Each structure stands twice: as structure tokens, then as C-alpha cells.
Amino acid sequence: MKIESVNVTVFQYPTRRVSDTAGHSHPGPESMAKMAMLTITADDGTKGYSFAPPEVVRPFVVNTFFRKVLVGQDAFNRERIWQDLAHWQRGSAHQLTERALSFVEQALWDLIGRKLNMPVWKLLGGFRDKVPAYGSTMCGDDLPGGLSTPDEYASFAEKLVARGYKAIKLHTWMPPVSFAPNPKMDVKACAAVREAVGPDIDLMIDGYHWYSRTEALYIGKELEKLDFAWFEEPMEEESMSSYAWLAENLSIPIIGPESLGGKHHSRADWVKAGACDILRAGANGVGGISPTLKVANLAESFGMDCEVHGNGAASLAVIGAIKNCRWYERGLLHPFLDYDVPAAYLNSIVDPMDENGIVSLPTGPGLGEDINFAYIENNTVS
Ligand SMILES: O=C(NO)[C@@H](O)[C@H](O)[C@@H](O)C(=O)[O-]
Ligand SMILES: [Mg+2]
């Protein structure tokens, strides 16, 4: 099955998610956003798809890297294609990003799954067809009735538990929110949520990512009193030694790295350095599904869990194939937004959750996205 073409369709769709000046998403007025659908087509007509921000898979990236490496290759030689692209990153002047690599690799997996008429998670190992989800909140805000006070976090947490979630992760306040960063406010939000949901719900925090060692230590010690399940990204992840120091000084599990580059290579060094108790990797951030699987397998070899970063089909593809991931990150959630409403370009969401907080993995071929092709065609902008 030879790859014949790699194409990108950019289309517009309505959204109520806006980004702040640090890239964190919050609810906002409805606006039209743009999305790119990356399509890989094989010579027998089979197609594979992934969705990406248009700038990540812009024409320069597709023409300069994707088409040169993929076209003419056997689509089943996915690892060889991935290695060839990954090696080109060094000489790409930072134009071939981990995220671009992730999205083309995901489309390749989707193509393979569609060709074999099997879900990717089953192709990769088929460990499970259901997974418990944790509710991952948006970052805090200053919206009255949103996530602007500890009590509003507590009230939202109660609603999430009523919806079925058995675990909740708080993204707390970060600049540009006026009073952030604020370790004491982070702790107050965590305490309010623990008070509201009781002792049987797993709680985690993912707060301001640039605290000092002493600020992170203070928060961590307070979280230990609140029996939090993990402490995520409280400092700059480029400083692995800071995380090793923090992990040494706290009993609460430290999880990471999430946003650090270096794919599965950097995560091996984190394990060796004792910089985390739980590994983390996302299929959009470490170069795709296979590198995420490599991180999960590395973690398993050291008796560690690997909690997959982010929601979506690619995350589910990995989680369905491995044992050592306890949760699916379902989010990001906010009181003002209904997560269960699919985006206009999808007929249904890929991660439906029942009243017990269990997400059933997609049973369709490939990554299992229920794509509304007619909508995309009617809303194509380039
Ligand atoms: O941290 C995350 N998940 O754990 C990300 O999904 C979110 O994007 C969060 O970091 C953020 O909004 O920056
Ligand atoms: Mg995170």
C-alpha cells in the first residue's frame, strides 16, 4: 500500500474556547476558528486523517518534509517513516516540530487502521475497551460563576462528581489572571474541592508551571495533607534537577514531564534522575502515538504508571493498548461549556462517558473519529 499523497484542508468552525496570553484555554464568546484536516491517501484509495492547528501543518511543513518523506513509501512502514521524519527535525531549523510529527504519525495510524478495518488501540495491543476518566478543569479565571474562587471550584467539582467522574484535576489560576500565581490560593482551591467531594474522589493539581522550588514544596506539603493523588508541572520542566529535588522532598507522587521536548528520550532521563514518580506523555506532544507508547513501555519497565496527556482519539489509541495508565484526561472542562457537545466537524464525540465515569473506546476503524466530511467540505477555507 504505497502513499500517494499528503494533503491539508483548512476549514472553519464555531467555538466558544479562547486562548489567553499564555496559551491556556477559557470560555469566551462564540467565534469562528480554523482547523486543519491532514489527509494521507494510499494508492488503493485508503485514507487516514488527523486534525491539527493549521499553522502546525502549514504548506511549508507539508511540502518540505511530509511529502518528501511519505510519498512513495509503504504506509505500513510507519516506524521507518517516523524515524526518517524525526531525524530531519534536527536539520529543520525547528520548523518540523514534535506536534507536526505527531499529527502526521496519527494520520498514518488512522490510515493503517482503516485499511485493516480495526481500531488502532486494538492493533496496538487491545488491553482494554473502557477506561475511567478524570475531569480536567480549565485553568482558573476571573469570570463570575466560572472558576474564579475556591468555592466555584468546589461547586464545579460537585457537579463533576454528580456527572460520574471519580477523579478531578484542577488547573488553577495562572497569569494573566490578576492575583496569579498564588500558592496560597491554589491550596485554598484544592482544600475547598477536597471538602466538597469527600475522601473517595481522587484529586490532582496542575498549577502554575513556573513556581520556585520553595513555592512548589509548600504547595506539595499542603497537598499531602489533602491526600492528593499527584502533583503536576509546578515548575519549569527544563529543570530536571528541580523535579528530582522536589520528588526527594515530597511523598505526594510527582508526575511529568508533560510539556518538555525530547520525546521518549527526555523521559528516560527523568526516570533515571528520579525526577518523577509517574511518567507523562501526550500523543500530540512527543511525536505521536508510537513515541507515547514507547514512554509507557519505559514506565512499565520501571514499575511506573504513564498518565497520557490530553483528551482525544490519539490518547485513547494509546490508553486502550496499555495497562499502566489509570485515567483518561477528559477535558478541558468549565461550568460555562458543555463538553459532551461535539465540534461542528464531528458527528459525535470520540470519548463518550457513562454515569459511572467510564469512557468507552471507539470501535470504528482507525482512530475512530466520527468525521462530518460534508461540514468540512462546506466550510473549507483553503
Ligand atoms: O496541562 C494540561 N493537561 O494536563 C494541558 O492539557 C492544558 O492545556 C493545560 O496545561 C493548559 O491549559 O495549559
Ligand atoms: Mg498538565
Side-chain angles (χ1 to χ4, degrees):
M1 184 170 68
K2 298 286 186 195
I3 296 171
E4 197 164 69
S5 63
V6 182
N7 292 299
V8 168
T9 306
V10 179
F11 60 93
Q12 61 180 8
Y13 69 102
T15 183
R16 285 194 51 223
R17 285 167 173 78
V18 294
S19 281
D20 64 25
T21 53
H24 305 302
S25 50
H26 302 280
E30 181 170 301
S31 63
M32 293 306 284
K34 288 181 182 171
M35 179 66 79
M37 180 172 73
L38 177 65
T39 306
I40 301 175
T41 305
D43 55 4
D44 68 352
T46 309
K47 292 179 185 292
Y49 306 94
S50 67
F51 293 98
E55 65 278 11
V56 173
V57 292
R58 63 190 183 279
F60 172 80
V61 173
V62 176
N63 293 327
T64 308
F65 308 110
F66 291 174
R67 287 184 176 138
K68 286 184 182 159
V69 172
L70 275 80
V71 175
Q73 292 297 323
D74 180 342
F76 283 102
N77 291 349
R78 183 205 39 71
E79 181 69 11
R80 174 56 191 270
I81 290 167
W82 186 90
Q83 293 287 350
D84 287 348
L85 280 171
H87 292 161
W88 204 345
Q89 280 190 287
R90 181 182 175 282
S92 74
H94 297 288
Q95 298 304 303
L96 179 51
T97 62
E98 242 96 88
R99 288 175 67 82
L101 190 52
S102 300
F103 294 123
V104 73
E105 192 253 13
Q106 290 170 26
L108 209 42
W109 269 120
D110 189 48
L111 187 153
I112 292 166
R114 287 171 183 268
K115 173 67 178 177
L116 300 176
N117 195 29
M118 280 187 75
V120 172
W121 60 267
K122 211 164 180 60
L123 275 176
L124 288 172
F127 176 73
R128 56 184 143 183
D129 60 5
K130 298 182 188 316
V131 60
Y134 68 83
S136 188
T137 75
M138 282 187 166
C139 293
D141 52 45
D142 51 9
L143 302 170
L147 294 173
S148 67
T149 66
D151 285 347
E152 288 177 356
Y153 269 99
S155 167
F156 188 42
E158 287 173 333
K159 293 183 175 70
L160 295 179
V161 170
R163 170 68 178 82
Y165 290 99
K166 301 294 185 286
I168 297 167
K169 182 167 83 178
L170 291 77
H171 286 100
T172 45
W173 298 278
M174 309 185 196
V177 171
S178 60
F179 59 79
N182 187 317
K184 289 192 185 311
M185 279 297 285
D186 288 354
V187 170
K188 281 180 182 172
C190 293
V193 169
R194 174 54 78 203
E195 174 70 24
V197 301
D200 299 329
I201 298 293
D202 275 23
L203 297 178
M204 305 78 111
I205 184 176
D206 184 349
Y208 182 58
H209 308 325
W210 295 275
Y211 279 126
S212 68
R213 290 190 181 193
T214 48
E215 289 169 324
L217 185 65
Y218 159 75
I219 296 169
K221 287 190 177 298
E222 293 302 312
L223 295 179
E224 289 170 352
K225 299 173 190 170
L226 297 168
D227 190 28
F228 266 53
W230 80 54
F231 190 17
E232 181 174 336
E233 200 175 352
M235 301 180 292
E236 169 57 72
E237 289 184 335
E238 294 285 355
S239 175
M240 184 172 68
S241 60
S242 295
Y243 279 87
W245 174 87
L246 190 67
E248 187 62 35
N249 284 282
L250 288 173
S251 59
I252 182 173
I254 304 296
I255 182 172
E258 171 176 311
S259 56
L260 184 67
K263 299 188 276 287
H264 45 297
H265 310 290
S266 56
R267 282 146 181 87
D269 288 336
W270 269 54
V271 174
K272 184 167 179 286
C276 61
D277 305 292
I278 303 169
L279 265 176
R280 189 154 178 77
N284 288 351
V286 295
I289 290 166
S290 297
T292 307
L293 209 53
K294 290 179 181 180
V295 176
N297 296 163
L298 166 74
E300 185 180 37
S301 308
F302 283 93
M304 297 168 72
D305 284 342
C306 173
E307 292 299 328
V308 174
H309 167 210
N311 66 331
S315 295
L316 291 170
V318 176
I319 293 169
I322 62 174
K323 176 184 177 185
N324 61 325
C325 177
R326 294 171 189 257
W327 304 100
Y328 167 68
E329 182 172 14
R330 196 167 192 261
L332 297 173
L333 309 173
H334 192 280
F336 295 170
L337 297 171
D338 183 348
Y339 180 85
D340 291 301
V341 174
Y345 57 92
L346 298 175
N347 295 314
S348 60
I349 58 174
V350 75
D351 55 356
M353 185 182 84
D354 68 17
E355 67 282 0
N356 298 310
I358 301 297
V359 169
S360 296
L361 272 63
T363 54
L367 293 175
E369 291 273 29
D370 187 1
I371 300 171
N372 185 335
F373 290 103
Y375 177 89
I376 292 171
E377 186 174 350
N378 294 332
N379 291 275
T380 294
V381 295
S382 63

